Amino acid sequence: MPAHHSSRKPWPMKWIVVSIVVFVVGYTVVNLYFRKPGKAYRPYQDANDRATTARLLAAGWHKLPLDTRRPIEKAALDHAPAPIAHGAVGLGLDFAPNFAEAPKLVASIDKVTAPAEVAHGQDYSLHFTASVTDQHLQLGELTLYQRGNELVLVPETEKLPGQQLMTRWNDATHAVTFATTALPPGRYSARIVARGPAATWSFTVK
């Protein structure tokens, strides 16, 4: 008995490809149209950020606004420079417990130029040179924390975009400025933290 052959013709391969393309394009358009603006939801990172913020506030720390830039000129001070010393490695035992996840710090703080005093209400400006151990990294976010008469500057690293981009030098100098309007006159201790020893100094708000 001869085998029975179906009369249905197979769907041409080109139409299968066309249907897949139409689906992918349509899905992409709908996804982009209805996607909420802003950063993507990062459950783990967002939870750590909230925990860190809560711990810092509970410990009395808060952030001060910063202006940062890569200077093209040498540091010029209106007052005598403050003597710079070296402190604890990393965030320090007094500061590290406030972070749910340790920030990715620069390798070292190689040089700091900062004034020993500033008039109340004026901006306080400093220059610092930081090094990274991996040329695929660069200085990213800079955050200044204050608690009473203590100031801590936290420079974090970030990866350069792309796989092949590299920095030309392992170190770079940065300028940081913050207002003293919220700082009562008095003596302040400051430090810039790194994976290596922190750079520490004191200055007076007059």
Side-chain angles (χ1 to χ4, degrees), residues 1-157:
M1 184 176 179
H4 176 72
H5 295 281
S6 173
S7 60
R8 293 179 61 185
K9 296 182 179 181
W11 206 18
M13 181 59 68
K14 69 175 182 178
W15 294 116
I16 296 176
V17 174
V18 169
S19 64
I20 293 174
V21 172
V22 170
F23 172 79
V24 171
V25 172
Y27 174 82
T28 302
V29 171
V30 171
N31 189 39
L32 291 175
Y33 182 79
F34 288 102
R35 180 182 296 170
K36 293 181 179 180
K39 294 182 178 179
Y41 180 53
R42 307 168 301 166
Y44 178 78
Q45 186 63 50
D46 292 345
N48 280 339
D49 291 345
R50 288 193 297 269
T52 296
T53 299
R55 292 180 187 179
L56 286 165
L57 290 174
W61 295 94
H62 65 277
K63 295 180 182 180
L64 290 180
L66 275 182
D67 287 328
T68 62
R69 62 185 175 85
R70 288 284 296 274
I72 58 175
E73 77 284 355
K74 292 184 178 180
L77 301 179
D78 296 330
H79 301 281
I84 307 299
H86 292 92
V89 171
L91 293 171
L93 296 178
D94 60 333
F95 199 51
N98 299 305
F99 290 81
E101 183 179 14
K104 298 177 176 62
L105 301 176
V106 296
S108 63
I109 304 299
D110 307 318
K111 183 180 180 181
V112 177
T113 304
E117 62 181 54
V118 62
H120 182 257
Q122 292 187 348
D123 289 343
Y124 186 87
S125 297
L126 63 102
H127 288 64
F128 74 94
T129 303
S131 292
V132 295
T133 55
D134 187 339
Q135 287 185 302
H136 290 93
L137 298 176
Q138 64 179 352
L139 185 69
E141 186 175 3
L142 277 164
T143 310
L144 179 62
Y145 297 94
Q146 180 208 355
R147 183 178 66 178
N149 284 40
E150 297 178 79
L151 298 173
V152 181
L153 182 62
V154 181
E156 298 185 55
T157 60

